[in-house]
Amino acid sequence: PGSLLGNPAYLAGYLLFTIFIGAYLARGSTGRLRLLYGIGILVEVIAIVLGNTRGAIIGLGLGAVVFLIVSAHARGWNSKNPYAAALVVLTLFVGIFLFTRQAALWQRIPGLDRLAITSVADATVTNRLLVWNIALKNVNDRPFVGIGWENFKYGFDRNYNPALLRSGYYSETHWDKPHNTFLEYLTSAGIVGLLAYLVVLGCSFYVLWKRSPREFRPFGAGLLVSYIGYSVFLFDTFGTYLMLAATLAFLATHEREGAPLEMPATA
């Protein structure tokens, strides 16, 4: 499931972007090309499900919900709105899953089996919370400018919590990332770095909603929200950096008056 990236979480972060981009391209296509886009999206969703990375699955779910909400709002809330109907079905499914997640049925479905057993008693969840607490201690050491990029492992060793050994897995006793993009910016670049990152995300939503083509807004909103949901539980990799940069570049072309910027005239 990790493909050539070697890790299903890395692959999933990359695919979250391409799913929504592919859906947007499919919207403007017809015939065989739309079918090919549809097959590609299906393969990517299956890859995320088989990878069974909870953060990616949650991010995809949140992105799908936002996409349906924005699309339904654009078409008007009524009984004939397919996006509103899909949103109701998705909401009912999530509600049923949450109330029956202890049922054996969910353990047979890839992608939902790990979500069904997720709780604060789960060793992986407990360790994630312990590591987040260590990250906050790193922030106390250097709150404004952080401890430097790729230096989390040193702060982790300095503020190590022996409770991580309770899981019985050696791999859980050494973390070089806090597995939370926002905490990583906060620990690595301090409050200044985190605020800069949040400003970039905030400007992205503003340009998306005020300047980008109307037909792209549901897909762009779903894309950005899925990335944020993924980032709460994981961290940026080359795949997410690449696709985030491409998305920001696309939005930047619509920064003024909702139309692509013109290239400056050469002398």
Side-chain angles (χ1 to χ4, degrees):
S3 187
L4 298 178
L5 293 178
N7 188 311
Y10 299 171
L11 176 64
Y14 170 79
L15 294 181
L16 287 176
F17 286 87
T18 58
I19 285 173
F20 287 96
I21 293 173
Y24 172 62
L25 295 174
R27 180 190 182 280
S29 305
T30 58
R32 294 180 180 178
L33 188 57
R34 175 175 289 187
L35 176 62
L36 288 175
Y37 278 128
I39 294 173
I41 293 169
L42 178 61
V43 170
E44 292 177 335
V45 171
I46 292 174
I48 290 178
V49 170
L50 292 180
N52 218 351
T53 301
R54 286 173 293 191
I57 294 173
I58 292 173
L60 179 61
L62 292 174
V65 169
V66 170
F67 166 78
L68 291 174
I69 291 175
V70 176
S71 298
H73 180 73
R75 296 192 58 165
W77 297 92
N78 56 68
S79 58
K80 297 181 179 180
N81 189 328
Y83 297 106
L87 183 62
V88 170
V89 171
L90 181 58
T91 302
L92 289 174
F93 174 79
V94 172
I96 293 173
F97 171 75
L98 291 177
F99 281 104
T100 64
R101 63 193 186 96
Q102 302 299 330
L105 169 66
W106 304 117
Q107 299 302 317
R108 303 189 185 98
I109 303 177
L112 295 179
D113 51 350
R114 290 191 68 197
L115 287 176
I117 62 174
T118 299
S119 69
V120 293
D122 184 1
T124 59
V125 174
T126 301
N127 287 352
R128 185 72 57 87
L129 295 176
L130 290 173
V131 172
W132 288 357
N133 184 258
I134 292 174
L136 292 176
K137 290 182 179 180
N138 291 342
V139 175
N140 290 332
D141 294 338
R142 299 188 67 179
F144 295 106
V145 295
I147 60 177
W149 295 107
E150 301 299 330
N151 284 341
F152 178 79
K153 56 186 177 183
Y154 303 114
F156 175 84
D157 290 342
R158 182 170 60 251
N159 296 300
Y160 179 75
N161 188 336
L164 289 166
L165 285 167
R166 293 173 181 168
S167 66
Y169 297 102
Y170 170 75
S171 60
E172 292 289 321
T173 65
H174 177 74
W175 295 54
D176 59 354
K177 297 278 188 179
H179 284 238
N180 180 301
T181 302
F182 301 95
L183 281 177
E184 183 171 8
Y185 274 94
L186 185 58
T187 58
S188 299
I191 296 173
V192 174
L194 177 62
L195 288 178
Y197 177 64
L198 293 178
V199 167
V200 170
L201 292 180
C203 289
S204 301
F205 278 103
Y206 176 81
V207 174
L208 171 69
W209 199 254
K210 295 293 186 178
R211 305 298 190 194
S212 69
R214 186 179 299 272
E215 61 272 14
F216 177 71
R217 292 173 189 173
F219 303 94
L223 183 156
L224 290 174
V225 169
S226 67
Y227 165 72
I228 291 173
Y230 170 91
S231 298
V232 171
F233 303 99
L234 291 158
F235 48 87
D236 273 320
T237 64
F238 176 79
T240 55
Y241 273 134
L242 173 67
M243 298 310 298
L244 180 61
T247 302
L248 295 178
F250 176 77
L251 291 175
T253 64
H254 301 88
E255 187 177 359
R256 287 188 287 182
E257 302 301 328
L261 299 175
E262 295 182 1
M263 294 296 293
T266 57

